Amino acid sequence: PGYLPHVLHVLKHERPDRFREKLRVTPATFDCLVDRLSDDPVFGNNSRNPQMPVEVQVAITLYRFGHYGNAAGLQQVADWAGCGKGTVELVTRRVMTAILRPDFLGEAIRDPTAEEKEKAKRWVEEHSCKAWRDGWMMVDGTLVPLDERPFWYGESYFDRKCNYSLNIQ
């Protein structure tokens, strides 16, 4: 058996700090996400073999997305969850299908208000170069690690932390 049941039934309630280490969200955020996604049709079927609970599918997906390198490999995630590699791919696809639906995105992501946008612009102007004031959505220097060296121009992706990554700007 995998470690996932321990995360969902023990760490979630007794050690929320450790739960967050594994899934990269608080138990409250996890519960809200599961509640919101549970009614999506992608999690239903007409088979005599029911799907895994939505809670388990979301946990597998979050664990997978919260790790990189060897820890994010299909076999590693499958071993952690106590399922097969194909199941990891399948549940990830289901969760992302539900998350990328326009109605969910419309609720979960919003553009900033004019006041929020102006506040961010003022902060950029006061804390960095004044010419960057209108670059209010720019995130400078955030590294997104890649699982492996890209085939084309791979050396260009090698960062100062000795990983292959994308720099968000």
Side-chain angles (χ1 to χ4, degrees), residues 8 12 19 23-40 42-43 53-63 65 91-92 94-101 103-105 107-109:
L8 292 178
K12 183 177 175 188
F19 180 90
L23 301 185
R24 308 291 197 243
V25 296
T26 65
T29 299
F30 178 79
D31 288 341
C32 286
L33 183 60
V34 169
D35 288 344
R36 177 57 181 82
L37 296 177
S38 290
D39 293 332
D40 192 281
V42 75
F43 296 113
V54 175
E55 175 183 52
V56 172
Q57 295 187 53
V58 170
I60 291 170
T61 303
L62 290 175
Y63 181 85
F65 289 167
V91 301
T92 301
R94 283 184 191 140
V95 170
M96 288 311 300
T97 297
I99 286 175
L100 293 174
R101 292 200 197 276
D103 61 318
F104 181 83
L105 289 177
E107 281 182 34
I109 299 173

Side-chain angles (χ1 to χ4, degrees), residues 14-159:
E14 296 176 17
R15 292 293 309 271
D17 57 321
R18 297 286 317 278
F19 180 90
R20 189 166 193 260
E21 285 176 10
K22 300 299 180 195
L23 301 185
R24 308 291 197 243
V25 296
T26 65
T29 299
F30 178 79
D31 288 341
C32 286
L33 183 60
V34 169
D35 288 344
R36 177 57 181 82
L37 296 177
S38 290
D39 293 332
D40 192 281
V42 75
F43 296 113
N45 65 23
N46 293 322
S47 171
R48 287 184 291 163
N49 300 319
Q51 291 185 21
M52 293 176 161
V54 175
E55 175 183 52
V56 172
Q57 295 187 53
V58 170
I60 291 170
T61 303
L62 290 175
Y63 181 85
R64 183 178 182 193
F65 289 167
H67 294 79
Y68 68 97
N70 291 340
L74 286 177
Q75 190 61 60
Q76 289 297 103
V77 176
D79 291 346
W80 177 84
C83 64
K85 293 188 302 188
T87 301
V88 172
E89 288 187 320
L90 182 62
V91 301
T92 301
R93 189 175 311 114
R94 283 184 191 140
V95 170
M96 288 311 300
T97 297
I99 286 175
L100 293 174
R101 292 200 197 276
D103 61 318
F104 181 83
L105 289 177
E107 281 182 34
I109 299 173
R110 68 169 177 81
D111 287 333
T113 64
E115 295 81 27
E116 291 168 332
K117 190 173 176 179
E118 185 56 38
K119 181 180 176 184
K121 287 181 174 190
R122 270 195 314 274
W123 187 93
V124 167
E125 187 174 33
E126 293 168 5
H127 292 87
S128 64
C129 177
K130 292 183 192 250
W132 292 352
R133 182 189 199 300
D134 289 327
W136 62 274
M137 285 191 88
M138 182 179 72
V139 178
D140 187 25
T142 301
L143 298 174
V144 178
L146 300 174
D147 183 48
E148 58 189 43
R149 178 185 186 271
F151 182 77
W152 296 104
Y153 308 107
E155 65 280 357
S156 300
Y157 295 89
F158 199 70
D159 65 31

